[in-house]
Amino acid sequence: MSYIVHQKINGKLYAYEVTGIWDPEKKNSKQKRKYLGRVDPDTGEIIKKREPPKPMFAYDYGDVRVAEIFYKRSGLEEALKKIFGKDEEKIKILIISRLINQLPLKRIGNWYERIYLAKKEINLSSQRISELLRLMEERIGEFFNTWIERNERSVYIDITSLSSNSSESIYEYGYSRDNIPLPQVNLAIVLHEDKPLFFQIYPGSVPDVVTLNNTLEIIDSFGLKTTMILDRGFFSHRNMENLRKREYIIPVPFTTEMAKLFLSIEKKKLKDPGNAMNYNGKTLFVVKGKMDKENYYIYYDPVRESEETNNFFIRLMEMESRITGIEYSDAVSIIEEHYRGFDRFIEMKIENGKIKGIKRKRNAISQYLNRKGKMILLTNTEMDWLTVLDLYRSRDRIEKSFKIMKDDLEGLPLRIHDRNGLSGYIAMLFFTLIVELSMMKEMRNSKLVEKYSIKDIFMELSKIRMIELSNGNRIITEIPKKVREILSGLNVEIED
């Protein structure tokens, strides 16, 4: 049996519920008191004590919030709202999902329910995502027209292969840069500094020379007056004829007669003390030459030459050690798997099917090492050696972009089976790339890139959660010191 008693403490009246409890050991009764609240002096009613709000649900917050901030900071949010209207919010979720988790499309809906941006009215079922991909494919041209500014000056072009098991007609067998024996499409992508401008999809069988020519025509259609910065893979007689109509910078492959001619002409000048230059604190020998209306620069880095020569001989001797004395067929397999191309530097003496001796091909090795530490850049501009080199070196952005799209975002092999879905899927990867490069730029500026990859950063940020309480309020969990340093490096504040 229980009853209520009032007790006055420091001039205020408090109510307690008293319950009698029998103690079987001591064989007597004792009282247990439960605090009920303060008593209103005017009405005598009990003012019940306030229960602290309880945690009800924990949402993914830190990684999602930072991805959202860079989505806005990149300018992508504004551009997509113009093109896609109310569907922009759903596309944003797809982009953030790919950036953070690389989830299969069919699982994005389940992930979405766990993040702090979740809304009941947003449907991200597999069918709805497929519809969004088709919408992106339909309107990607409108996006490019909105996104590309006419003042972009230097642009970077590259082409890669994306493979699939699909039987769709756009997937065709052609030269695969990844040596994957599947039908493929070719993807050309164009960037300006850290800003991806546009992409174009071509059937896998279309040669690079045709792909490049078509991409150049698209660049012209946007009214871009640009300097093309290209990789050595584009160096061919046919491509050069097309390139001469515009400004370009392109490396000359050492396998060409042009490279051999330039090196022969300038050989004595390469180590001339008068040609030593300071490049980012390192000594670089630079020789300039002219051929018709084009200029070429030969860059020679003695430190790099030494390192590359040392690495070459380490691998060569390692290969020799591994294959000596074993079956010839096993040696061929080892060379193919671990030392591809190194067989051209040796002659193998075979007895009874085994490798009994190895002789090095001196001329082949000398010719190969002659190119180490050297690079030849050809241009039809009047830029100085430093500008040409800086522009070309900065093209590693596009190489990293392809790595992001194909490795980090797991866009290879493609699992999209119809043409519209393919274009929409690549559009989604392209949008994600825009956000990621915006984030990487901030990481380079703060030197975070020296400590973390983007995956590392999102893993650390995922430690920050948003807790929903029983009273409807939301609070952010404590931010660890390491995460605060990352947020500072990204120039981001998320405690709002």
Side-chain angles (χ1 to χ4, degrees):
M1 183 176 178
S2 61
Y3 55 93
I4 296 174
V5 298
H6 293 174
Q7 182 177 351
K8 201 167 190 178
I9 303 174
N10 295 329
K12 294 180 180 180
L13 200 60
Y14 297 92
Y16 296 87
E17 181 183 53
V18 180
T19 304
I21 300 175
W22 175 258
D23 188 336
E25 291 184 1
K26 296 182 179 181
K27 295 183 179 182
N28 62 7
S29 62
K30 60 181 181 180
Q31 292 182 339
K32 182 179 179 181
R33 304 182 80 185
K34 178 183 177 183
Y35 175 67
L36 298 178
R38 196 158 59 88
V39 179
D40 189 307
D42 297 323
T43 64
E45 293 182 356
I46 298 173
I47 305 171
K48 293 184 178 181
K49 66 175 182 178
R50 294 181 181 178
E51 293 286 344
K54 298 178 180 179
M56 301 298 290
F57 197 83
Y59 294 96
D60 294 354
Y61 179 72
D63 48 358
V64 178
R65 178 60 180 143
V66 169
E68 183 187 28
I69 288 172
F70 278 97
Y71 170 76
K72 294 179 180 180
R73 197 179 283 184
S74 69
L76 189 59
E77 180 183 57
E78 182 181 353
L80 292 184
K81 279 183 176 179
K82 289 180 182 178
I83 305 302
F84 296 100
K86 62 181 181 180
D87 288 313
E88 173 272 332
E89 190 170 6
K90 302 180 187 72
I91 294 172
K92 175 179 76 172
I93 299 303
L94 298 185
I95 293 168
I96 291 175
S97 167
R98 294 300 296 176
L99 188 61
I100 296 173
N101 290 320
Q102 300 87 50
L103 291 171
L105 297 179
K106 64 182 180 181
R107 295 182 183 171
I108 291 178
N110 292 333
W111 167 80
Y112 176 63
E113 294 174 359
R114 304 197 314 267
I115 69 173
Y116 87 100
L117 294 173
K119 295 179 182 178
K120 290 182 179 180
E121 63 268 22
I122 290 185
N123 174 15
L124 287 175
S125 64
S126 295
Q127 181 179 349
R128 182 60 185 127
I129 290 175
S130 295
E131 292 170 359
L132 286 171
L133 293 180
R134 286 173 175 79
L135 182 64
M136 283 187 263
E137 191 276 336
E138 291 171 4
R139 298 184 183 175
I140 192 64
E142 295 178 52
F143 170 80
F144 291 150
N145 282 320
T146 299
W147 182 248
I148 296 173
E149 299 176 9
R150 300 303 185 263
N151 60 352
E152 263 91 29
R153 184 63 185 136
S154 56
V155 300
Y156 309 81
I157 301 176
D158 213 339
I159 299 169
T160 194
S161 308
L162 300 175
S163 302
S164 175
N165 290 302
S166 173
S167 58
E168 183 70 20
S169 60
I170 194 171
Y171 293 99
E172 298 177 349
Y173 285 95
Y175 168 67
S176 173
R177 293 149 188 84
D178 302 295
N179 297 309
I180 297 176
L182 289 173
Q184 63 191 35
V185 294
N186 289 332
L187 174 66
I189 186 170
V190 179
L191 283 84
H192 168 70
E193 296 181 352
D194 290 291
K195 179 182 177 181
L197 297 181
F198 71 89
F199 69 86
Q200 189 69 21
I201 302 171
Y202 301 94
S205 61
V206 175
D208 281 1
V209 62
V210 177
T211 300
L212 176 61
N213 193 44
N214 291 342
T215 305
L216 293 177
E217 290 181 4
I218 295 172
I219 289 173
D220 290 341
S221 72
F222 284 119
L224 295 171
K225 303 298 181 183
T226 61
T227 299
M228 321 300 296
I229 296 95
L230 301 164
D231 188 61
R232 69 184 73 249
F234 290 104
F235 192 94
S236 70
H237 176 74
R238 192 172 172 187
N239 278 346
M240 295 308 295
E241 288 300 316
N242 290 328
L243 287 173
R244 287 189 176 99
K245 301 173 185 176
R246 63 198 77 227
E247 293 185 355
Y248 66 83
I249 297 170
I250 188 169
V252 182
F254 285 103
T255 54
T256 63
E257 292 301 319
M258 181 182 290
K260 294 174 184 176
L261 175 63
F262 292 165
L263 288 175
S264 175
I265 294 173
E266 311 294 356
K267 184 177 180 180
K268 292 182 179 180
K269 297 181 183 178
L270 276 181
K271 297 183 180 181
D272 187 325
N275 292 325
M277 304 292 176
N278 184 342
Y279 184 70
N280 293 338
K282 296 180 179 179
T283 300
L284 196 66
F285 291 84
V286 182
V287 176
K288 180 181 180 180
K290 195 169 185 68
M291 183 188 70
D292 297 329
K293 296 180 180 180
E294 295 163 316
N295 294 313
Y296 63 84
Y297 291 99
I298 304 178
Y299 301 91
Y300 168 55
D301 182 342
V303 174
R304 183 176 148 206
E305 178 189 40
S306 176
E307 291 173 349
E308 291 179 349
T309 299
N310 182 59
N311 291 337
F312 168 79
F313 279 112
I314 286 174
R315 282 180 54 76
L316 180 65
M317 290 183 287
E318 180 185 89
M319 179 190 70
E320 292 171 342
S321 175
R322 289 187 65 178
I323 66 175
T324 300
I326 69 172
E327 295 288 337
Y328 174 73
S329 58
D330 292 337
V332 171
S333 298
I334 289 174
I335 292 172
E336 178 64 22
E337 185 174 354
H338 301 287
Y339 308 97
R340 182 174 295 181
F342 270 61
D343 53 333
R344 70 183 188 270
F345 301 122
I346 61 172
E347 290 180 359
M348 292 178 277
K349 183 180 179 181
I350 305 170
E351 292 181 8
N352 299 322
K354 292 187 176 182
I355 310 297
K356 290 298 183 181
I358 294 174
K359 182 180 179 181
R360 294 173 187 169
K361 296 179 180 179
R362 295 189 178 185
N363 288 340
I365 293 174
S366 295
Q367 289 177 12
Y368 177 73
L369 294 179
N370 185 50
R371 67 184 70 168
K372 294 302 180 182
K374 302 179 183 70
M375 178 172 64
I376 305 173
L377 294 179
L378 186 69
T379 180
N380 59 353
T381 72
E382 293 302 321
M383 297 178 187
D384 60 38
W385 71 270
L386 182 58
T387 304
V388 170
L389 182 59
D390 278 342
L391 281 173
Y392 181 73
R393 287 259 173 108
S394 63
R395 80 172 308 282
D396 67 351
R397 294 186 181 98
I398 200 164
E399 293 170 358
K400 290 176 182 176
S401 301
F402 276 129
K403 180 174 176 59
I404 290 167
M405 291 185 75
K406 294 172 67 175
D407 297 337
D408 292 350
L409 300 182
E410 297 180 358
L412 180 72
L414 292 178
R415 298 174 178 84
I416 305 296
H417 299 293
D418 65 87
R419 184 165 185 159
N420 290 341
L422 166 68
S423 299
Y425 180 74
I426 293 179
M428 183 180 69
L429 295 183
F430 182 81
F431 295 152
T432 308
L433 176 64
I434 290 171
V435 180
E436 185 153 353
L437 290 188
S438 173
M439 190 170 171
M440 286 181 68
K441 182 178 181 180
E442 201 69 58
M443 289 171 63
R444 284 197 305 273
N445 291 342
S446 64
K447 297 186 178 180
L448 274 178
V449 72
E450 297 175 5
K451 292 183 178 180
Y452 305 100
S453 68
I454 282 194
K455 284 187 176 181
D456 294 334
I457 283 180
F458 279 124
M459 185 174 293
E460 292 296 330
L461 291 170
S462 68
K463 296 174 182 177
I464 308 173
R465 309 275 282 169
M466 177 175 277
I467 309 299
E468 184 173 306
L469 303 175
S470 55
N471 60 4
N473 292 336
R474 290 183 172 187
I475 59 173
I476 300 171
T477 57
E478 185 177 354
I479 301 177
K481 181 180 178 182
K482 186 176 181 180
V483 178
R484 288 188 181 277
E485 291 173 354
I486 289 174
L487 292 173
S488 176
L490 292 174
N491 193 24
V492 162
E493 293 183 7
I494 63 171
E495 297 174 276
D496 52 10

Short mmCIF file of all heavy atoms in Angstrom, two decimals, residues 196-243:
data_model
loop_
_atom_site.label_atom_id
_atom_site.label_comp_id
_atom_site.label_asym_id
_atom_site.label_seq_id
_atom_site.Cartn_x
_atom_site.Cartn_y
_atom_site.Cartn_z
N PRO A 196 35.78 19.92 -63.87
CA PRO A 196 35.35 19.13 -65.03
C PRO A 196 34.33 19.92 -65.85
O PRO A 196 33.39 20.49 -65.30
CB PRO A 196 34.70 17.90 -64.39
CG PRO A 196 35.27 17.84 -63.00
CD PRO A 196 35.48 19.26 -62.59
N LEU A 197 34.52 19.98 -67.17
CA LEU A 197 33.64 20.77 -68.03
C LEU A 197 32.55 19.93 -68.68
O LEU A 197 31.38 20.24 -68.59
CB LEU A 197 34.46 21.48 -69.12
CG LEU A 197 35.48 22.51 -68.64
CD1 LEU A 197 36.19 23.13 -69.83
CD2 LEU A 197 34.81 23.58 -67.80
N PHE A 198 32.96 18.85 -69.37
CA PHE A 198 31.95 17.99 -69.98
C PHE A 198 32.58 16.65 -70.32
O PHE A 198 33.79 16.46 -70.27
CB PHE A 198 31.35 18.63 -71.23
CG PHE A 198 32.26 18.72 -72.42
CD1 PHE A 198 32.33 17.67 -73.35
CD2 PHE A 198 33.04 19.84 -72.65
CE1 PHE A 198 33.16 17.75 -74.45
CE2 PHE A 198 33.88 19.93 -73.75
CZ PHE A 198 33.94 18.88 -74.66
N PHE A 199 31.72 15.69 -70.64
CA PHE A 199 32.18 14.38 -71.10
C PHE A 199 31.40 14.00 -72.34
O PHE A 199 30.34 14.56 -72.63
CB PHE A 199 31.99 13.31 -70.00
CG PHE A 199 30.55 12.97 -69.71
CD1 PHE A 199 29.88 12.01 -70.46
CD2 PHE A 199 29.87 13.60 -68.68
CE1 PHE A 199 28.55 11.71 -70.20
CE2 PHE A 199 28.55 13.31 -68.41
CZ PHE A 199 27.88 12.36 -69.18
N GLN A 200 31.92 13.03 -73.06
CA GLN A 200 31.25 12.52 -74.24
C GLN A 200 31.49 11.02 -74.33
O GLN A 200 32.60 10.54 -74.08
CB GLN A 200 31.77 13.21 -75.51
CG GLN A 200 30.99 12.90 -76.78
CD GLN A 200 29.59 13.51 -76.75
OE1 GLN A 200 29.34 14.45 -76.01
NE2 GLN A 200 28.70 12.97 -77.55
N ILE A 201 30.46 10.26 -74.68
CA ILE A 201 30.55 8.81 -74.78
C ILE A 201 30.59 8.40 -76.24
O ILE A 201 29.82 8.92 -77.06
CB ILE A 201 29.34 8.13 -74.09
CG1 ILE A 201 29.27 8.55 -72.61
CG2 ILE A 201 29.43 6.62 -74.21
CD1 ILE A 201 28.00 8.12 -71.93
N TYR A 202 31.50 7.47 -76.57
CA TYR A 202 31.63 6.95 -77.93
C TYR A 202 31.63 5.42 -77.89
O TYR A 202 32.09 4.82 -76.91
CB TYR A 202 32.94 7.43 -78.57
CG TYR A 202 33.07 8.92 -78.66
CD1 TYR A 202 33.74 9.64 -77.67
CD2 TYR A 202 32.53 9.63 -79.73
CE1 TYR A 202 33.87 11.02 -77.74
CE2 TYR A 202 32.66 11.02 -79.81
CZ TYR A 202 33.32 11.70 -78.82
OH TYR A 202 33.45 13.07 -78.89
N PRO A 203 31.14 4.77 -78.95
CA PRO A 203 31.23 3.31 -79.01
C PRO A 203 32.67 2.85 -78.88
O PRO A 203 33.61 3.54 -79.29
CB PRO A 203 30.66 2.98 -80.40
CG PRO A 203 29.78 4.13 -80.73
CD PRO A 203 30.43 5.34 -80.11
N GLY A 204 32.86 1.66 -78.31
CA GLY A 204 34.20 1.17 -78.01
C GLY A 204 35.09 0.97 -79.20
O GLY A 204 36.31 0.98 -79.08
N SER A 205 34.50 0.79 -80.39
CA SER A 205 35.31 0.52 -81.58
C SER A 205 35.80 1.79 -82.27
O SER A 205 36.60 1.72 -83.21
CB SER A 205 34.50 -0.31 -82.59
OG SER A 205 33.34 0.41 -83.00
N VAL A 206 35.32 2.95 -81.83
CA VAL A 206 35.72 4.21 -82.47
C VAL A 206 37.16 4.53 -82.10
O VAL A 206 37.50 4.60 -80.91
CB VAL A 206 34.79 5.37 -82.04
CG1 VAL A 206 35.28 6.70 -82.63
CG2 VAL A 206 33.36 5.09 -82.49
N PRO A 207 38.06 4.72 -83.09
CA PRO A 207 39.47 5.01 -82.79
C PRO A 207 39.65 6.32 -82.04
O PRO A 207 38.82 7.24 -82.15
CB PRO A 207 40.12 5.09 -84.18
CG PRO A 207 39.15 4.44 -85.11
CD PRO A 207 37.79 4.65 -84.53
N ASP A 208 40.74 6.42 -81.28
CA ASP A 208 41.01 7.64 -80.50
C ASP A 208 41.10 8.87 -81.38
O ASP A 208 40.69 9.96 -80.98
CB ASP A 208 42.32 7.48 -79.72
CG ASP A 208 42.11 6.64 -78.47
OD1 ASP A 208 40.98 6.19 -78.25
OD2 ASP A 208 43.09 6.44 -77.73
N VAL A 209 41.63 8.72 -82.59
CA VAL A 209 41.79 9.88 -83.46
C VAL A 209 40.43 10.47 -83.82
O VAL A 209 40.27 11.69 -83.88
CB VAL A 209 42.60 9.50 -84.74
CG1 VAL A 209 41.87 8.45 -85.56
CG2 VAL A 209 42.86 10.74 -85.60
N VAL A 210 39.43 9.61 -84.05
CA VAL A 210 38.08 10.08 -84.35
C VAL A 210 37.44 10.68 -83.10
O VAL A 210 36.79 11.73 -83.16
CB VAL A 210 37.22 8.93 -84.90
CG1 VAL A 210 35.79 9.39 -85.15
CG2 VAL A 210 37.83 8.36 -86.17
N THR A 211 37.65 10.01 -81.96
CA THR A 211 37.12 10.51 -80.70
C THR A 211 37.67 11.90 -80.39
O THR A 211 36.92 12.80 -80.00
CB THR A 211 37.48 9.55 -79.56
OG1 THR A 211 36.92 8.26 -79.84
CG2 THR A 211 36.95 10.04 -78.23
N LEU A 212 38.97 12.08 -80.58
CA LEU A 212 39.59 13.37 -80.32
C LEU A 212 39.02 14.44 -81.25
O LEU A 212 38.67 15.54 -80.81
CB LEU A 212 41.10 13.29 -80.49
CG LEU A 212 41.86 14.62 -80.34
CD1 LEU A 212 41.66 15.21 -78.96
CD2 LEU A 212 43.35 14.44 -80.64
N ASN A 213 38.91 14.12 -82.52
CA ASN A 213 38.41 15.09 -83.49
C ASN A 213 36.98 15.52 -83.14
O ASN A 213 36.64 16.71 -83.19
CB ASN A 213 38.46 14.48 -84.90
CG ASN A 213 38.26 15.54 -85.98
OD1 ASN A 213 38.83 16.63 -85.92
ND2 ASN A 213 37.42 15.23 -86.94
N ASN A 214 36.14 14.55 -82.78
CA ASN A 214 34.76 14.87 -82.41
C ASN A 214 34.71 15.71 -81.14
O ASN A 214 33.90 16.63 -81.02
CB ASN A 214 33.96 13.58 -82.21
CG ASN A 214 33.72 12.83 -83.50
OD1 ASN A 214 33.86 13.40 -84.59
ND2 ASN A 214 33.38 11.56 -83.41
N THR A 215 35.60 15.40 -80.18
CA THR A 215 35.63 16.16 -78.93
C THR A 215 36.09 17.60 -79.19
O THR A 215 35.56 18.55 -78.59
CB THR A 215 36.57 15.49 -77.91
OG1 THR A 215 36.15 14.13 -77.72
CG2 THR A 215 36.54 16.21 -76.57
N LEU A 216 37.04 17.78 -80.10
CA LEU A 216 37.49 19.13 -80.46
C LEU A 216 36.35 19.93 -81.08
O LEU A 216 36.21 21.14 -80.83
CB LEU A 216 38.67 19.05 -81.41
CG LEU A 216 39.98 18.47 -80.85
CD1 LEU A 216 41.04 18.38 -81.94
CD2 LEU A 216 40.48 19.28 -79.67
N GLU A 217 35.53 19.28 -81.90
CA GLU A 217 34.39 19.96 -82.51
C GLU A 217 33.39 20.41 -81.45
O GLU A 217 32.81 21.50 -81.55
CB GLU A 217 33.71 19.04 -83.53
CG GLU A 217 34.54 18.80 -84.78
CD GLU A 217 33.84 17.90 -85.77
OE1 GLU A 217 32.67 17.52 -85.52
OE2 GLU A 217 34.45 17.57 -86.82
N ILE A 218 33.20 19.57 -80.42
CA ILE A 218 32.30 19.95 -79.33
C ILE A 218 32.86 21.15 -78.57
O ILE A 218 32.12 22.09 -78.22
CB ILE A 218 32.08 18.76 -78.37
CG1 ILE A 218 31.35 17.63 -79.10
CG2 ILE A 218 31.29 19.20 -77.14
CD1 ILE A 218 31.26 16.35 -78.30
N ILE A 219 34.16 21.14 -78.32
CA ILE A 219 34.81 22.28 -77.65
C ILE A 219 34.58 23.55 -78.45
O ILE A 219 34.25 24.61 -77.89
CB ILE A 219 36.31 22.00 -77.46
CG1 ILE A 219 36.52 20.93 -76.38
CG2 ILE A 219 37.06 23.28 -77.08
CD1 ILE A 219 37.95 20.48 -76.23
N ASP A 220 34.73 23.47 -79.77
CA ASP A 220 34.49 24.63 -80.62
C ASP A 220 33.04 25.10 -80.54
O ASP A 220 32.75 26.30 -80.55
CB ASP A 220 34.84 24.29 -82.08
CG ASP A 220 36.34 24.12 -82.29
OD1 ASP A 220 37.12 24.60 -81.44
OD2 ASP A 220 36.73 23.49 -83.29
N SER A 221 32.11 24.13 -80.46
CA SER A 221 30.69 24.49 -80.41
C SER A 221 30.33 25.27 -79.15
O SER A 221 29.37 26.03 -79.14
CB SER A 221 29.83 23.23 -80.50
OG SER A 221 29.88 22.47 -79.29
N PHE A 222 31.11 25.07 -78.08
CA PHE A 222 30.89 25.83 -76.85
C PHE A 222 31.57 27.19 -76.89
O PHE A 222 31.47 27.98 -75.94
CB PHE A 222 31.39 25.04 -75.64
CG PHE A 222 30.50 23.91 -75.21
CD1 PHE A 222 30.96 22.61 -75.21
CD2 PHE A 222 29.20 24.15 -74.82
CE1 PHE A 222 30.15 21.56 -74.82
CE2 PHE A 222 28.37 23.12 -74.43
CZ PHE A 222 28.85 21.82 -74.44
N GLY A 223 32.29 27.47 -77.97
CA GLY A 223 32.96 28.76 -78.10
C GLY A 223 34.19 28.91 -77.25
O GLY A 223 34.62 30.03 -76.95
N LEU A 224 34.80 27.80 -76.86
CA LEU A 224 35.98 27.85 -76.01
C LEU A 224 37.23 28.08 -76.86
O LEU A 224 37.50 27.33 -77.80
CB LEU A 224 36.14 26.55 -75.23
CG LEU A 224 35.05 26.23 -74.20
CD1 LEU A 224 35.22 24.82 -73.66
CD2 LEU A 224 35.06 27.23 -73.06
N LYS A 225 37.99 29.10 -76.55
CA LYS A 225 39.28 29.37 -77.21
C LYS A 225 40.37 28.85 -76.27
O LYS A 225 40.72 29.50 -75.29
CB LYS A 225 39.46 30.86 -77.48
CG LYS A 225 38.34 31.47 -78.33
CD LYS A 225 38.29 30.82 -79.71
CE LYS A 225 37.19 31.46 -80.56
NZ LYS A 225 37.08 30.79 -81.89
N THR A 226 40.87 27.68 -76.56
CA THR A 226 41.66 26.98 -75.57
C THR A 226 43.03 26.57 -76.06
O THR A 226 43.29 26.49 -77.25
CB THR A 226 40.92 25.72 -75.12
OG1 THR A 226 40.75 24.87 -76.26
CG2 THR A 226 39.57 26.03 -74.52
N THR A 227 43.89 26.28 -75.08
CA THR A 227 45.14 25.58 -75.33
C THR A 227 44.94 24.14 -74.89
O THR A 227 44.62 23.88 -73.73
CB THR A 227 46.30 26.21 -74.53
OG1 THR A 227 46.46 27.56 -74.93
CG2 THR A 227 47.59 25.44 -74.78
N MET A 228 45.11 23.20 -75.81
CA MET A 228 44.88 21.79 -75.50
C MET A 228 46.13 21.21 -74.84
O MET A 228 47.23 21.34 -75.38
CB MET A 228 44.58 21.00 -76.77
CG MET A 228 43.70 21.72 -77.78
SD MET A 228 42.09 22.14 -77.11
CE MET A 228 41.43 20.54 -76.82
N ILE A 229 45.96 20.57 -73.69
CA ILE A 229 47.06 19.87 -73.03
C ILE A 229 46.74 18.39 -73.09
O ILE A 229 45.77 17.93 -72.48
CB ILE A 229 47.27 20.34 -71.58
CG1 ILE A 229 47.69 21.82 -71.54
CG2 ILE A 229 48.35 19.52 -70.90
CD1 ILE A 229 46.57 22.77 -71.35
N LEU A 230 47.53 17.65 -73.85
CA LEU A 230 47.20 16.27 -74.18
C LEU A 230 48.28 15.30 -73.72
O LEU A 230 49.43 15.69 -73.48
CB LEU A 230 47.00 16.12 -75.69
CG LEU A 230 45.90 17.00 -76.28
CD1 LEU A 230 46.05 17.09 -77.79
CD2 LEU A 230 44.54 16.45 -75.93
N ASP A 231 47.91 14.04 -73.64
CA ASP A 231 48.84 12.99 -73.27
C ASP A 231 49.55 12.46 -74.51
O ASP A 231 49.07 12.64 -75.64
CB ASP A 231 48.10 11.86 -72.56
CG ASP A 231 49.05 10.83 -71.98
OD1 ASP A 231 49.88 11.19 -71.13
OD2 ASP A 231 48.98 9.67 -72.42
N ARG A 232 50.66 11.74 -74.30
CA ARG A 232 51.44 11.21 -75.42
C ARG A 232 50.64 10.24 -76.27
O ARG A 232 50.96 10.01 -77.44
CB ARG A 232 52.72 10.56 -74.91
CG ARG A 232 52.53 9.29 -74.14
CD ARG A 232 53.86 8.76 -73.60
NE ARG A 232 54.33 9.57 -72.47
CZ ARG A 232 55.40 10.35 -72.54
NH1 ARG A 232 56.11 10.44 -73.64
NH2 ARG A 232 55.76 11.05 -71.48
N GLY A 233 49.58 9.65 -75.70
CA GLY A 233 48.76 8.72 -76.46
C GLY A 233 48.06 9.36 -77.65
O GLY A 233 47.63 8.66 -78.58
N PHE A 234 47.95 10.68 -77.65
CA PHE A 234 47.30 11.38 -78.76
C PHE A 234 48.29 11.75 -79.87
O PHE A 234 47.89 12.31 -80.89
CB PHE A 234 46.63 12.67 -78.25
CG PHE A 234 45.42 12.41 -77.41
CD1 PHE A 234 45.47 12.53 -76.04
CD2 PHE A 234 44.22 12.02 -77.99
CE1 PHE A 234 44.36 12.30 -75.25
CE2 PHE A 234 43.09 11.78 -77.21
CZ PHE A 234 43.16 11.92 -75.84
N PHE A 235 49.56 11.46 -79.67
CA PHE A 235 50.56 11.87 -80.65
C PHE A 235 50.53 10.91 -81.84
O PHE A 235 50.92 9.75 -81.76
CB PHE A 235 51.97 11.87 -80.03
CG PHE A 235 53.00 12.55 -80.88
CD1 PHE A 235 53.31 13.88 -80.71
CD2 PHE A 235 53.66 11.84 -81.89
CE1 PHE A 235 54.25 14.51 -81.51
CE2 PHE A 235 54.60 12.46 -82.69
CZ PHE A 235 54.90 13.80 -82.50
N SER A 236 50.03 11.41 -82.94
CA SER A 236 50.02 10.67 -84.21
C SER A 236 49.97 11.69 -85.33
O SER A 236 49.58 12.85 -85.12
CB SER A 236 48.82 9.72 -84.30
OG SER A 236 47.62 10.45 -84.43
N HIS A 237 50.37 11.27 -86.53
CA HIS A 237 50.39 12.20 -87.66
C HIS A 237 49.00 12.79 -87.90
O HIS A 237 48.85 14.00 -88.10
CB HIS A 237 50.87 11.48 -88.92
CG HIS A 237 50.83 12.34 -90.15
ND1 HIS A 237 51.75 13.36 -90.37
CD2 HIS A 237 49.96 12.35 -91.21
CE1 HIS A 237 51.45 13.95 -91.52
NE2 HIS A 237 50.39 13.37 -92.04
N ARG A 238 47.97 11.94 -87.84
CA ARG A 238 46.62 12.42 -88.12
C ARG A 238 46.13 13.37 -87.04
O ARG A 238 45.52 14.40 -87.33
CB ARG A 238 45.68 11.21 -88.22
CG ARG A 238 44.31 11.55 -88.79
CD ARG A 238 43.54 10.28 -89.04
NE ARG A 238 42.17 10.56 -89.40
CZ ARG A 238 41.23 9.64 -89.55
NH1 ARG A 238 41.55 8.36 -89.36
NH2 ARG A 238 40.00 9.96 -89.86
N ASN A 239 46.39 13.04 -85.77
CA ASN A 239 45.99 13.93 -84.68
C ASN A 239 46.71 15.27 -84.76
O ASN A 239 46.12 16.33 -84.51
CB ASN A 239 46.26 13.29 -83.33
CG ASN A 239 45.18 12.33 -82.90
OD1 ASN A 239 44.09 12.32 -83.48
ND2 ASN A 239 45.45 11.51 -81.91
N MET A 240 47.99 15.24 -85.09
CA MET A 240 48.76 16.47 -85.15
C MET A 240 48.23 17.41 -86.22
O MET A 240 48.23 18.64 -86.07
CB MET A 240 50.24 16.16 -85.40
CG MET A 240 50.93 15.39 -84.27
SD MET A 240 50.71 16.13 -82.64
CE MET A 240 51.57 17.68 -82.86
N GLU A 241 47.73 16.85 -87.34
CA GLU A 241 47.15 17.69 -88.38
C GLU A 241 45.94 18.44 -87.85
O GLU A 241 45.74 19.62 -88.15
CB GLU A 241 46.76 16.83 -89.58
CG GLU A 241 47.94 16.31 -90.38
CD GLU A 241 48.80 17.44 -90.95
OE1 GLU A 241 48.22 18.41 -91.48
OE2 GLU A 241 50.04 17.37 -90.84
N ASN A 242 45.12 17.76 -87.04
CA ASN A 242 43.94 18.40 -86.46
C ASN A 242 44.33 19.41 -85.39
O ASN A 242 43.72 20.48 -85.26
CB ASN A 242 43.01 17.35 -85.84
CG ASN A 242 42.33 16.49 -86.90
OD1 ASN A 242 42.05 16.96 -88.00
ND2 ASN A 242 42.06 15.24 -86.56
N LEU A 243 45.36 19.08 -84.60
CA LEU A 243 45.75 19.94 -83.49
C LEU A 243 46.36 21.25 -83.96
O LEU A 243 46.28 22.26 -83.27
CB LEU A 243 46.74 19.20 -82.59
CG LEU A 243 46.16 18.09 -81.71
CD1 LEU A 243 47.27 17.34 -80.99
CD2 LEU A 243 45.19 18.68 -80.69
#
